[in-house]
Amino acid sequence: MSLCRSFATIMLFLLLNPLSSLAQGNAKRFNEANQLFQQKRYDEVLSYLQAGKKFFKTESPEITFLSAASHYYKNKLDEAEIEFVSLLKNKNSLQVEALLFLGQIRFHRQDFTTASSYLKSYLKAISPSHPNRNEVRNIIRHCATGLAIQYRNPLAIVENLGGQVNTQGDEFAPVLNPLYQNRI
């Protein structure tokens, strides 16, 4: 997804710029955690940051963002949401990216109204030529579709027919149910 590429760019930006909000020790710890993050070793990032909490004089926005993104990619959405919300009070690029992640978290929870709100705020904050713009617009359209069909009666119901038919793998070439002709 190109949104992940955008996040990698932000992390690289944070890594290359002087980390004014971090003390010297925090900068080293952040850089080491960021390297683990770039390698997609999210459990290790979270463990590393948790072990280092006693060394941080204050929790920096960069470290909070790294922790929140790691929680997000580990599908620990409750923890990620709490940390991303805490970043909204900061007026910097991390606040903007937090809006994107919060929109995606709410979208995954099928809270389409709140997701749209976060994503629209994200669109307002980024430049018109930002590479994520079209993808975020598509997600907002998906939110509108989700709102429209959320309370309709389902067109299909997925039913498990037992171990003889269903397997652990993907199921291809569905067949009509011999007992019920209107079921696949």
Side-chain angles (χ1 to χ4, degrees):
M1 202 181 222
S2 66
L3 295 177
C4 295
R5 202 171 341 118
S6 167
F7 176 73
T9 304
I10 286 173
M11 294 313 295
L12 186 61
F13 170 77
L14 290 173
L15 185 63
L16 295 176
N17 277 336
L19 299 172
S20 59
S21 65
L22 297 175
Q24 191 68 357
N26 287 2
K28 181 178 184 274
R29 192 148 197 90
F30 171 79
N31 290 338
E32 291 169 357
N34 190 35
Q35 287 175 347
L36 292 171
F37 186 88
Q38 296 300 323
Q39 297 168 6
K40 298 182 181 184
R41 296 163 52 187
Y42 306 120
D43 283 327
E44 293 176 53
V45 171
L46 293 169
S47 296
Y48 191 77
L49 292 176
Q50 185 62 36
K53 278 197 184 271
K54 63 184 175 219
F55 300 114
F56 302 132
K57 303 262 189 282
T58 59
E59 186 83 6
S60 73
E62 292 85 359
I63 290 171
T64 302
F65 188 84
L66 197 59
S67 175
S70 295
H71 279 118
Y72 175 83
Y73 289 119
K74 289 297 298 172
N75 202 27
K76 296 179 179 178
L77 301 183
D78 291 333
E79 293 92 335
E81 184 173 27
I82 290 167
E83 291 177 320
F84 282 127
V85 166
S86 76
L87 290 170
L88 293 181
K89 59 187 166 218
N90 299 320
K91 299 292 182 199
N92 58 32
S93 63
L94 296 177
Q95 177 194 34
V96 174
E97 293 305 311
L99 290 168
L100 174 63
F101 277 98
L102 286 167
Q104 291 177 321
I105 289 169
R106 287 300 174 162
F107 181 83
H108 291 301
R109 290 184 175 157
Q110 297 183 1
D111 179 1
F112 301 118
T113 304
T114 308
S116 291
S117 176
Y118 280 129
L119 294 170
K120 287 175 183 177
S121 295
Y122 175 77
L123 283 178
K124 289 177 190 173
I126 62 174
S127 71
S129 61
H130 195 285
N132 288 349
R133 186 167 281 284
N134 287 334
E135 190 168 346
V136 172
R137 282 184 183 150
N138 285 336
I139 297 170
I140 292 170
R141 285 186 195 107
H142 292 311
C143 289
T145 302
L147 283 170
I149 64 172
Q150 193 170 28
Y151 300 106
R152 287 186 194 164
N153 288 330
L155 298 175
I157 298 174
V158 177
E159 210 174 84
N160 189 330
L161 297 176
Q164 298 294 344
V165 176
N166 297 103
T167 66
Q168 292 296 336
D170 290 334
E171 305 296 339
F172 293 100
V175 295
L176 289 174
N177 185 324
L179 301 175
Y180 305 98
Q181 291 300 315
N182 63 343
R183 296 185 183 179
I184 295 178

Short mmCIF file of all heavy atoms in Angstrom, two decimals, residues 48-85:
data_model
loop_
_atom_site.label_atom_id
_atom_site.label_comp_id
_atom_site.label_asym_id
_atom_site.label_seq_id
_atom_site.Cartn_x
_atom_site.Cartn_y
_atom_site.Cartn_z
N TYR A 48 11.51 -3.07 22.84
CA TYR A 48 12.65 -2.17 22.97
C TYR A 48 12.22 -0.83 23.57
O TYR A 48 12.86 -0.31 24.47
CB TYR A 48 13.29 -1.97 21.60
CG TYR A 48 14.62 -1.28 21.61
CD1 TYR A 48 15.77 -1.95 21.98
CD2 TYR A 48 14.72 0.05 21.23
CE1 TYR A 48 17.00 -1.30 21.98
CE2 TYR A 48 15.93 0.70 21.23
CZ TYR A 48 17.08 0.02 21.60
OH TYR A 48 18.27 0.66 21.60
N LEU A 49 11.12 -0.30 23.07
CA LEU A 49 10.63 0.98 23.59
C LEU A 49 10.14 0.85 25.02
O LEU A 49 10.35 1.73 25.85
CB LEU A 49 9.53 1.54 22.69
CG LEU A 49 9.98 2.00 21.30
CD1 LEU A 49 8.78 2.44 20.48
CD2 LEU A 49 11.02 3.10 21.38
N GLN A 50 9.48 -0.26 25.31
CA GLN A 50 8.98 -0.49 26.67
C GLN A 50 10.14 -0.60 27.65
O GLN A 50 10.12 -0.01 28.73
CB GLN A 50 8.11 -1.76 26.73
CG GLN A 50 7.45 -2.00 28.06
CD GLN A 50 6.49 -0.89 28.45
OE1 GLN A 50 5.81 -0.32 27.62
NE2 GLN A 50 6.44 -0.58 29.72
N ALA A 51 11.19 -1.33 27.26
CA ALA A 51 12.37 -1.48 28.12
C ALA A 51 13.07 -0.14 28.32
O ALA A 51 13.68 0.09 29.36
CB ALA A 51 13.33 -2.50 27.51
N GLY A 52 13.00 0.74 27.35
CA GLY A 52 13.69 2.02 27.43
C GLY A 52 12.91 3.13 28.11
O GLY A 52 13.44 4.23 28.28
N LYS A 53 11.67 2.88 28.51
CA LYS A 53 10.84 3.95 29.10
C LYS A 53 11.52 4.60 30.30
O LYS A 53 11.41 5.79 30.51
CB LYS A 53 9.47 3.42 29.49
CG LYS A 53 8.52 3.36 28.33
CD LYS A 53 7.11 3.24 28.83
CE LYS A 53 6.18 3.07 27.67
NZ LYS A 53 5.69 4.31 27.14
N LYS A 54 12.26 3.82 31.07
CA LYS A 54 12.92 4.39 32.25
C LYS A 54 14.04 5.36 31.88
O LYS A 54 14.45 6.18 32.67
CB LYS A 54 13.43 3.28 33.16
CG LYS A 54 14.50 2.42 32.54
CD LYS A 54 14.90 1.28 33.45
CE LYS A 54 15.86 0.38 32.72
NZ LYS A 54 15.70 -0.99 32.97
N PHE A 55 14.53 5.26 30.63
CA PHE A 55 15.63 6.13 30.19
C PHE A 55 15.12 7.46 29.61
O PHE A 55 15.87 8.41 29.51
CB PHE A 55 16.50 5.43 29.13
CG PHE A 55 17.12 4.17 29.64
CD1 PHE A 55 16.77 2.95 29.10
CD2 PHE A 55 18.07 4.21 30.65
CE1 PHE A 55 17.35 1.79 29.57
CE2 PHE A 55 18.66 3.05 31.12
CZ PHE A 55 18.29 1.83 30.59
N PHE A 56 13.86 7.50 29.22
CA PHE A 56 13.33 8.71 28.60
C PHE A 56 12.96 9.72 29.67
O PHE A 56 12.23 9.41 30.60
CB PHE A 56 12.10 8.39 27.74
CG PHE A 56 12.33 7.39 26.66
CD1 PHE A 56 11.46 6.34 26.48
CD2 PHE A 56 13.42 7.49 25.81
CE1 PHE A 56 11.67 5.41 25.47
CE2 PHE A 56 13.64 6.57 24.81
CZ PHE A 56 12.76 5.54 24.64
N LYS A 57 13.46 10.93 29.51
CA LYS A 57 13.09 11.99 30.44
C LYS A 57 11.61 12.35 30.23
O LYS A 57 10.86 12.53 31.15
CB LYS A 57 13.95 13.23 30.19
CG LYS A 57 15.43 12.96 30.29
CD LYS A 57 15.95 13.36 31.65
CE LYS A 57 17.45 13.32 31.73
NZ LYS A 57 18.03 12.03 31.87
N THR A 58 11.23 12.46 28.99
CA THR A 58 9.83 12.68 28.63
C THR A 58 9.54 11.81 27.41
O THR A 58 10.44 11.48 26.64
CB THR A 58 9.55 14.15 28.25
OG1 THR A 58 10.39 14.50 27.16
CG2 THR A 58 9.81 15.07 29.41
N GLU A 59 8.31 11.46 27.26
CA GLU A 59 7.91 10.67 26.09
C GLU A 59 7.83 11.61 24.90
O GLU A 59 7.03 12.52 24.88
CB GLU A 59 6.55 10.02 26.36
CG GLU A 59 6.10 9.08 25.28
CD GLU A 59 6.69 7.68 25.41
OE1 GLU A 59 7.37 7.39 26.39
OE2 GLU A 59 6.46 6.89 24.49
N SER A 60 8.65 11.39 23.92
CA SER A 60 8.67 12.27 22.75
C SER A 60 7.59 11.86 21.77
O SER A 60 7.19 10.69 21.73
CB SER A 60 10.03 12.22 22.07
OG SER A 60 10.17 10.99 21.41
N PRO A 61 7.10 12.79 20.95
CA PRO A 61 6.10 12.44 19.94
C PRO A 61 6.62 11.40 18.94
O PRO A 61 5.87 10.55 18.50
CB PRO A 61 5.81 13.77 19.24
CG PRO A 61 6.29 14.82 20.17
CD PRO A 61 7.37 14.22 21.00
N GLU A 62 7.91 11.47 18.63
CA GLU A 62 8.48 10.52 17.67
C GLU A 62 8.42 9.10 18.20
O GLU A 62 8.08 8.17 17.47
CB GLU A 62 9.93 10.90 17.33
CG GLU A 62 10.08 12.18 16.56
CD GLU A 62 10.13 13.44 17.43
OE1 GLU A 62 10.02 13.33 18.68
OE2 GLU A 62 10.25 14.53 16.86
N ILE A 63 8.75 8.93 19.48
CA ILE A 63 8.72 7.60 20.09
C ILE A 63 7.28 7.12 20.23
O ILE A 63 6.98 5.95 19.96
CB ILE A 63 9.46 7.62 21.44
CG1 ILE A 63 10.97 7.79 21.17
CG2 ILE A 63 9.19 6.36 22.24
CD1 ILE A 63 11.80 8.03 22.39
N THR A 64 6.37 8.00 20.62
CA THR A 64 4.95 7.64 20.71
C THR A 64 4.43 7.20 19.34
O THR A 64 3.71 6.21 19.23
CB THR A 64 4.12 8.83 21.24
OG1 THR A 64 4.63 9.20 22.51
CG2 THR A 64 2.65 8.47 21.35
N PHE A 65 4.81 7.93 18.30
CA PHE A 65 4.36 7.58 16.95
C PHE A 65 4.90 6.22 16.53
O PHE A 65 4.18 5.40 15.97
CB PHE A 65 4.80 8.65 15.95
CG PHE A 65 4.22 8.45 14.59
CD1 PHE A 65 2.96 8.94 14.30
CD2 PHE A 65 4.91 7.78 13.60
CE1 PHE A 65 2.39 8.77 13.04
CE2 PHE A 65 4.36 7.60 12.34
CZ PHE A 65 3.10 8.10 12.07
N LEU A 66 6.16 5.95 16.81
CA LEU A 66 6.77 4.67 16.47
C LEU A 66 6.07 3.53 17.20
O LEU A 66 5.77 2.49 16.61
CB LEU A 66 8.26 4.71 16.83
CG LEU A 66 9.17 3.67 16.23
CD1 LEU A 66 9.15 3.73 14.71
CD2 LEU A 66 10.59 3.87 16.74
N SER A 67 5.76 3.74 18.46
CA SER A 67 5.04 2.74 19.24
C SER A 67 3.62 2.53 18.70
O SER A 67 3.17 1.40 18.52
CB SER A 67 4.98 3.19 20.71
OG SER A 67 4.20 2.31 21.47
N ALA A 68 2.93 3.63 18.41
CA ALA A 68 1.56 3.54 17.89
C ALA A 68 1.52 2.82 16.55
O ALA A 68 0.66 1.96 16.32
CB ALA A 68 0.96 4.94 17.76
N ALA A 69 2.45 3.15 15.67
CA ALA A 69 2.47 2.50 14.35
C ALA A 69 2.79 1.02 14.49
O ALA A 69 2.23 0.18 13.78
CB ALA A 69 3.49 3.19 13.45
N SER A 70 3.67 0.67 15.43
CA SER A 70 3.98 -0.75 15.66
C SER A 70 2.75 -1.48 16.17
O SER A 70 2.46 -2.60 15.73
CB SER A 70 5.14 -0.89 16.65
OG SER A 70 6.32 -0.35 16.11
N HIS A 71 2.03 -0.86 17.10
CA HIS A 71 0.78 -1.47 17.57
C HIS A 71 -0.20 -1.65 16.42
O HIS A 71 -0.87 -2.68 16.31
CB HIS A 71 0.13 -0.61 18.67
CG HIS A 71 0.73 -0.81 20.01
ND1 HIS A 71 1.35 0.20 20.70
CD2 HIS A 71 0.81 -1.90 20.81
CE1 HIS A 71 1.77 -0.25 21.86
NE2 HIS A 71 1.47 -1.53 21.94
N TYR A 72 -0.29 -0.64 15.57
CA TYR A 72 -1.21 -0.71 14.42
C TYR A 72 -0.86 -1.90 13.53
O TYR A 72 -1.73 -2.69 13.16
CB TYR A 72 -1.15 0.59 13.63
CG TYR A 72 -1.97 0.56 12.36
CD1 TYR A 72 -3.35 0.82 12.40
CD2 TYR A 72 -1.41 0.26 11.13
CE1 TYR A 72 -4.12 0.80 11.26
CE2 TYR A 72 -2.17 0.23 9.98
CZ TYR A 72 -3.52 0.49 10.05
OH TYR A 72 -4.29 0.45 8.90
N TYR A 73 0.41 -2.05 13.18
CA TYR A 73 0.81 -3.12 12.28
C TYR A 73 0.76 -4.49 12.95
O TYR A 73 0.73 -5.51 12.26
CB TYR A 73 2.20 -2.85 11.70
CG TYR A 73 2.17 -1.73 10.70
CD1 TYR A 73 2.91 -0.58 10.90
CD2 TYR A 73 1.37 -1.80 9.56
CE1 TYR A 73 2.88 0.46 9.99
CE2 TYR A 73 1.32 -0.76 8.65
CZ TYR A 73 2.07 0.37 8.87
OH TYR A 73 2.02 1.40 7.98
N LYS A 74 0.70 -4.53 14.28
CA LYS A 74 0.51 -5.79 15.00
C LYS A 74 -0.99 -6.05 15.23
O LYS A 74 -1.35 -6.99 15.91
CB LYS A 74 1.24 -5.77 16.35
CG LYS A 74 2.74 -5.82 16.27
CD LYS A 74 3.26 -7.09 15.64
CE LYS A 74 2.88 -8.29 16.44
NZ LYS A 74 3.19 -9.55 15.79
N ASN A 75 -1.84 -5.20 14.69
CA ASN A 75 -3.29 -5.28 14.80
C ASN A 75 -3.76 -5.13 16.24
O ASN A 75 -4.76 -5.70 16.64
CB ASN A 75 -3.82 -6.58 14.18
CG ASN A 75 -5.28 -6.46 13.82
OD1 ASN A 75 -5.78 -5.38 13.54
ND2 ASN A 75 -6.00 -7.58 13.84
N LYS A 76 -3.04 -4.35 17.02
CA LYS A 76 -3.45 -3.99 18.37
C LYS A 76 -4.03 -2.58 18.28
O LYS A 76 -3.41 -1.60 18.66
CB LYS A 76 -2.26 -4.05 19.33
CG LYS A 76 -1.70 -5.45 19.48
CD LYS A 76 -0.51 -5.47 20.42
CE LYS A 76 0.01 -6.88 20.58
NZ LYS A 76 1.20 -6.92 21.45
N LEU A 77 -5.24 -2.54 17.74
CA LEU A 77 -5.83 -1.25 17.37
C LEU A 77 -6.20 -0.39 18.56
O LEU A 77 -6.13 0.84 18.48
CB LEU A 77 -7.02 -1.48 16.45
CG LEU A 77 -6.73 -2.22 15.14
CD1 LEU A 77 -7.98 -2.33 14.29
CD2 LEU A 77 -5.61 -1.55 14.38
N ASP A 78 -6.59 -0.99 19.68
CA ASP A 78 -6.95 -0.19 20.85
C ASP A 78 -5.74 0.59 21.36
O ASP A 78 -5.83 1.79 21.62
CB ASP A 78 -7.51 -1.08 21.97
CG ASP A 78 -8.87 -1.66 21.63
OD1 ASP A 78 -9.60 -1.04 20.83
OD2 ASP A 78 -9.19 -2.74 22.16
N GLU A 79 -4.60 -0.11 21.49
CA GLU A 79 -3.38 0.55 21.96
C GLU A 79 -2.93 1.61 20.97
O GLU A 79 -2.53 2.71 21.34
CB GLU A 79 -2.25 -0.47 22.18
CG GLU A 79 -2.50 -1.44 23.33
CD GLU A 79 -3.18 -2.73 22.87
OE1 GLU A 79 -3.87 -2.73 21.81
OE2 GLU A 79 -3.05 -3.74 23.57
N ALA A 80 -2.98 1.27 19.68
CA ALA A 80 -2.57 2.21 18.65
C ALA A 80 -3.43 3.46 18.68
O ALA A 80 -2.92 4.59 18.61
CB ALA A 80 -2.64 1.55 17.27
N GLU A 81 -4.73 3.28 18.81
CA GLU A 81 -5.63 4.43 18.80
C GLU A 81 -5.35 5.38 19.96
O GLU A 81 -5.30 6.60 19.79
CB GLU A 81 -7.09 3.97 18.84
CG GLU A 81 -8.07 5.11 18.72
CD GLU A 81 -9.50 4.65 18.59
OE1 GLU A 81 -9.84 3.55 19.08
OE2 GLU A 81 -10.28 5.39 18.00
N ILE A 82 -5.12 4.83 21.14
CA ILE A 82 -4.84 5.68 22.30
C ILE A 82 -3.59 6.53 22.05
O ILE A 82 -3.57 7.73 22.32
CB ILE A 82 -4.66 4.80 23.57
CG1 ILE A 82 -6.01 4.21 23.98
CG2 ILE A 82 -4.06 5.61 24.71
CD1 ILE A 82 -5.92 3.10 25.00
N GLU A 83 -2.54 5.90 21.50
CA GLU A 83 -1.31 6.63 21.27
C GLU A 83 -1.44 7.65 20.14
O GLU A 83 -0.93 8.77 20.24
CB GLU A 83 -0.16 5.65 20.98
CG GLU A 83 0.22 4.85 22.20
CD GLU A 83 1.31 3.83 21.95
OE1 GLU A 83 1.29 3.18 20.88
OE2 GLU A 83 2.17 3.68 22.82
N PHE A 84 -2.16 7.28 19.08
CA PHE A 84 -2.35 8.23 17.98
C PHE A 84 -3.19 9.43 18.44
O PHE A 84 -2.91 10.56 18.06
CB PHE A 84 -2.99 7.56 16.76
CG PHE A 84 -2.05 6.74 15.95
CD1 PHE A 84 -2.34 5.43 15.63
CD2 PHE A 84 -0.86 7.28 15.46
CE1 PHE A 84 -1.48 4.67 14.86
CE2 PHE A 84 0.01 6.53 14.70
CZ PHE A 84 -0.30 5.22 14.40
N VAL A 85 -4.21 9.19 19.25
CA VAL A 85 -5.03 10.30 19.76
C VAL A 85 -4.17 11.24 20.60
O VAL A 85 -4.33 12.46 20.53
CB VAL A 85 -6.24 9.77 20.56
CG1 VAL A 85 -6.91 10.87 21.36
CG2 VAL A 85 -7.25 9.12 19.61
#
